[in-house]
Amino acid sequence: AEAAERSDDLPAAAALYARELADQPRRLATVLWDLQTRALDGGRAAEAATILAGLEELFHDHPDLELRGDGAVVARWDVVNTLAWLKATAAEADAASVADARRLAGEAVVLAGADRSKRAPALDTLAAAAAAAGAWEEALQRSDEAIDLADEPTLRAEFVTRRDRYVRRERWIGP
């Protein structure tokens, strides 16, 4: 696993770590989260999505799993919403990926509950997934809900920018 990681084959490293650390879910989750972050930071969204799919399975099997470090907490919501976003905004998303993005985004909204700081981004992700499916009215509705819930001006501005695309019946591409 470490050799694959050193050679920058992050999906292979993730698969090998999954076997090596199968009996250590918290440690495995930390390693997978770090690998997907590295992939995203390197502009490799498809690789990050592959790694996140494995991490989503791990969180599904261990629903109370949380990662803490550097003042941040990573929980199932973070994994599900990030994976949904990557699938919904991929340049060449096929119908199966878009359907999966919609399912995951819906789950992220449920996991967010009444937490506005999570619900607004989850609704934005659901809007992106609806737009990827060509469900423009749903995309606009979910986008409006996200905008209404967004407390942070920068986040609200991002949501408005995406909503403007949906009005023109254009999906959002890229992270």
Side-chain angles (χ1 to χ4, degrees):
E2 290 176 2
E5 187 176 356
R6 279 193 304 277
S7 70
D8 213 32
D9 188 349
L10 303 181
L16 292 168
Y17 279 124
R19 278 185 247 143
E20 288 177 16
L21 302 174
D23 61 339
Q24 301 173 57
R26 185 170 314 285
R27 184 163 176 228
L28 175 58
T30 300
V31 168
L32 294 179
W33 185 259
D34 290 346
L35 289 174
Q36 73 82 31
T37 299
R38 189 168 144 195
L40 278 178
D41 289 348
R44 297 163 16 200
E47 289 183 24
T50 298
I51 296 165
L52 277 168
L55 188 55
E56 194 273 331
E57 286 181 28
L58 183 63
F59 271 85
H60 183 268
D61 294 342
H62 303 276
D64 295 330
L65 188 62
E66 281 188 348
L67 309 177
R68 295 181 185 274
D70 299 329
V73 176
V74 175
R76 182 170 169 78
W77 177 87
D78 301 282
V79 173
V80 170
N81 195 60
T82 304
L83 181 56
W85 179 260
L86 292 175
K87 287 178 172 272
T89 63
E92 298 180 20
D94 61 19
S97 289
V98 170
D100 201 31
R102 291 181 85 178
R103 177 189 64 78
L104 289 164
E107 186 176 342
V109 170
V110 170
L111 289 169
D115 182 342
R116 292 170 67 99
S117 69
K118 291 183 177 186
R119 191 167 184 84
L123 287 164
D124 182 57
T125 300
L126 189 55
W136 302 109
E137 291 306 314
E138 180 185 350
L140 290 170
Q141 179 183 358
R142 299 301 179 216
S143 187
D144 287 341
E145 292 173 29
I147 291 166
D148 288 345
L149 287 175
D151 292 327
E152 183 185 321
T154 304
L155 192 60
R156 181 178 291 122
E158 290 176 18
F159 295 168
V160 169
T161 298
R162 286 192 275 276
R163 186 191 188 286
D164 290 345
R165 284 263 183 96
Y166 308 149
V167 167
R168 296 189 308 267
R169 298 194 182 286
E170 297 173 5
R171 62 185 289 251
W172 189 263
I173 305 289

